[in-house]
Amino acid sequence: MIIEIRSAGIPLTPGLRALVARRVRFAMEKFAERIQKLTVRLADVNGPRGGRDKRCVVRLESHLREPIVIAERQERIQAAVSAAAERASRTFERRIRSQEFARRRWALPRHAGPVPDAGEEAES
């Protein structure tokens, strides 16, 4: 799994970079072999004015048809990263399960006719 971290308006210190990488790896560890690339974008939406303006966008690229993109806004960037990573993990798991269910559904054998009741004898 390749992790790319980008920042706009937030100083990307080595400590913040390590925190983001660690948090994302922890949330995605059970899917690491299925994820090709994970991009994390951090931004301070309205500068020094404060408020809920720290944004984290996580984009997952994998074997699924479309990439998964999750955006979170919080007062602190660490909270935004944690929330986005958790949501991305849950969304990825849901999509994988949905895809596997669809694959199994189409793989089920189709019966040629009605199934006989337990009390009836099947004709040979």
Side-chain angles (χ1 to χ4, degrees):
M1 172 172 65
I2 298 169
I3 299 175
E4 183 178 314
I5 303 169
R6 299 178 184 176
S7 178
I10 295 176
L12 194 55
T13 63
L16 180 59
R17 181 179 291 277
L19 178 127
V20 170
R22 185 175 61 245
R23 184 64 189 106
V24 168
R25 275 194 194 99
F26 179 76
M28 298 297 175
E29 67 186 341
K30 60 184 172 182
F31 309 116
E33 69 280 351
R34 294 183 179 202
I35 298 171
Q36 296 162 353
K37 184 177 179 183
L38 192 142
T39 305
V40 180
R41 283 189 236 129
L42 310 173
D44 190 352
V45 178
N46 59 354
R49 288 187 273 181
R52 229 178 145 150
D53 66 339
K54 305 299 190 279
R55 184 177 66 202
C56 176
V57 178
V58 174
R59 178 185 168 102
L60 293 170
E61 295 177 28
S62 68
H63 68 287
L64 300 174
R65 283 185 241 169
E66 296 179 12
I68 295 173
V69 180
I70 302 292
E72 274 290 330
R73 286 176 76 160
Q74 299 286 334
E75 288 183 31
R76 295 181 27 238
I77 195 63
Q78 295 87 346
V81 169
S82 290
E86 280 302 313
R87 280 185 55 207
S89 177
R90 287 192 311 266
T91 302
F92 191 68
E93 184 171 17
R94 223 176 18 251
R95 291 239 185 120
I96 289 172
R97 285 185 182 181
S98 174
Q99 187 180 46
E100 288 172 356
F101 176 76
R103 200 175 299 139
R104 278 183 296 195
R105 182 174 170 217
W106 290 107
L108 291 176
R110 304 287 179 197
H111 295 288
V115 177
D117 289 338
E120 296 178 14
E121 291 184 27
E123 294 180 26
S124 299

